Amino acid sequence: MPVVSGSSGRVIAEALAPLLDMEHVELISRRFPDGEGYVRVPSKSIDSVRSEPVVLVSNTYPDSGVLETILLLEAIASVRTGDLSNYKNEEPQSLPDVGPGVFLAIPYFGYSRQDKRFAPGEPVSARVIGEMLARCCDGIAILDLHAPIILEDLSVPVEFVSAMPEIAARLSNEVNPDFILSPDKGAIDRANEVATIGGWDFSYLEKTRIDAHTIEHTPKDLDVQGKIVAIVDDMISTGGTICRASDALHRQGATEVHAACTHGLFTAGAISRLSNHVDGVHSTDSLPNPRAVVSSAPALARGLKNLMG
Ligand code: R5P
C-alpha cells in the first residue's frame, strides 16, 4: 500500500510508511512561475495508487497547502476511479473504478484556531476546510487539532491523534522535568496527559489574549521553587504565550523552564524571542522548523490504523 506525499508531507510520509507496512511514493508537486500549483500522480505510480488503499500526508498550511491537499486528493481520486476524461482526447478515457480507500493524514491542520465565530460576519474557517477535505477522501487522521469538536461530525470518519506520548518521552529523556504547566485552559488536557505519562506534578495558568501579540497571565501561586518546569501547548506561534508563562514561572522560583509543543509555527522572530525566556524548545516535525525533535509519524500511524481497520 502506498503512503503518498506532495510538497509538505515527505519527511513524515517516509517515517510513516514503515510503521504501516507500506511504501512511500512521492507525487509530483511544483509551482508555475505565476505561483499557481501543479500536481500529478506519476505514471510509474498509477498501478500502485490503484492497487490498494492510499494514505496522503499533507498539511493544510500555509494557504497554498490547503489547495495543494485538495488537488492531490482529486488527482488520487481520478486515478482510483479511472477517470481519464479530458486527457488530450486520447482513448481509452477511462479505467475500471477501484473503489474507496483514500485516507488523509494531516500533521498540521491550518486555520484550526478559527473554530468559532468570534465576531459576526466571520466564517468558521476550520469547518469550511474540514468539509472541503471530507468531500475528497474516505477518512482523515489529524494530529493535535486545536479543538476537535469542530470536526467531530464530518461526513467521513476522523481520527484525532496526539503526539503527547512522544513529547512526554522526549521530556523524560532530555529534560527530566519536575513539573508540567499548561499555559492556558485550552491546553489543560494535553499538558495533563504529558504529566500523567511522566508521573510529574501539573498545573495551569489563566491566560487572557489582548491582541495577536499581547497576552496577560493571571498570577497564580505555583509550587515551582527550585524546580525544572516544562510548559506544554498544542502550538507555538509568536512565542508570546510561552514567554509570558515562563516569566511567571521564573518569578515564582523555577530554576529551568522548557517549552514543548506539537506544532512549531515559530512566526517571525519567535525562536530568538523564546531563547531569551526559556532553556529549551521541543517541537514535533508536523511543520518543518529548527526545533523539530519529535516525530509525528507514530501518532498519525495510530490514527490511520484505526481508520483503515
Ligand atoms: C491558543 O490557544 C494556542 O493553544 C496557543 O497557546 C497559541 O496559539 C500560541 O500562540 P503564541 O505563540 O502566538 O502566543
Side-chain angles (χ1 to χ4, degrees):
M1 281 195 250
V3 175
V4 302
S5 58
S7 67
S8 67
R10 188 180 52 80
V11 171
I12 297 170
E14 279 172 356
L16 186 57
L19 300 178
L20 295 170
D21 262 333
M22 295 165 88
E23 51 154 359
H24 173 236
V25 171
E26 195 163 357
L27 304 185
I28 294 167
S29 154
R30 54 176 185 253
R31 296 228 150 253
F32 289 108
D34 62 3
E36 290 182 356
Y38 170 85
V39 304
R40 180 159 58 92
V41 179
S43 308
K44 64 177 189 309
S45 305
I46 284 186
D47 285 348
S48 165
V49 166
R50 284 178 58 78
S51 63
E52 293 187 81
V54 178
V55 172
L56 168 67
V57 182
S58 194
N59 278 338
T60 59
Y61 180 87
D63 284 5
S64 55
V66 179
L67 200 56
E68 183 178 305
T69 303
I70 289 169
L71 294 178
L72 286 168
L73 287 171
E74 178 58 30
I76 294 163
S78 71
V79 164
R80 290 184 59 85
T81 58
D83 182 3
L84 301 176
S85 54
N86 276 337
Y87 175 56
K88 291 185 180 172
N89 294 324
E90 286 178 17
E91 299 295 335
Q93 293 281 309
S94 68
L95 291 168
D97 186 338
V98 297
V102 180
F103 300 96
L104 174 61
I106 308 180
Y108 177 63
F109 188 99
Y111 287 90
S112 59
R113 284 171 291 179
Q114 184 69 30
D115 59 359
K116 303 182 176 61
R117 264 183 253 284
F118 297 95
E122 291 178 351
V124 183
S125 309
R127 182 79 196 176
V128 173
I129 291 170
E131 286 178 356
M132 280 195 299
L133 298 173
R135 279 198 287 272
C136 312
C137 65
D138 303 301
I140 309 177
I142 307 176
L143 182 65
D144 281 316
L145 183 67
H146 186 61
I149 194 165
I150 191 63
L151 298 186
E152 266 174 1
D153 57 345
L154 282 187
S155 57
V156 296
V158 181
E159 280 285 325
F160 300 102
V161 296
S162 176
M164 292 305 130
E166 287 73 30
I167 286 179
R170 165 79 187 183
L171 293 175
S172 176
N173 294 335
E174 302 293 327
V175 176
N176 199 18
D178 304 298
F179 198 98
I180 301 294
L181 184 83
S182 168
D184 55 31
K185 283 189 173 166
I188 285 179
D189 287 352
R190 278 184 253 269
N192 197 18
E193 184 182 345
V194 170
T196 304
I197 292 170
W200 301 307
D201 287 341
F202 169 79
S203 189
Y204 66 93
L205 293 178
E206 304 260 6
K207 176 177 90 172
T208 311
R209 185 171 283 284
I210 311 298
D211 60 40
H213 294 275
T214 319
I215 52 138
E216 275 180 8
H217 277 122
T218 308
K220 188 170 187 176
D221 276 336
L222 299 171
D223 182 16
V224 293
Q225 182 70 40
K227 290 187 175 165
I228 300 173
V229 183
I231 307 168
V232 175
D233 208 347
D234 60 336
M235 67 181 79
I236 302 177
S237 177
T238 64
T241 300
I242 295 291
C243 292
R244 296 288 79 76
S246 176
D247 292 349
L249 288 166
H250 279 123
R251 279 196 299 275
Q252 295 183 44
T255 48
E256 219 177 285
V257 178
H258 289 254
C261 67
T262 303
H263 309 300
L265 286 151
F266 303 129
T267 51
I271 294 276
S272 65
R273 194 172 306 119
L274 285 161
S275 64
N276 292 327
H277 292 262
V278 296
D279 299 280
V281 179
H282 314 258
S283 161
T284 79
D285 59 1
S286 68
L287 292 161
N289 74 71
R291 298 293 179 271
V293 288
V294 175
S295 173
S296 41
L300 287 166
R302 289 192 285 275
L304 289 160
K305 280 178 186 165
N306 286 344
L307 272 182
M308 296 189 289

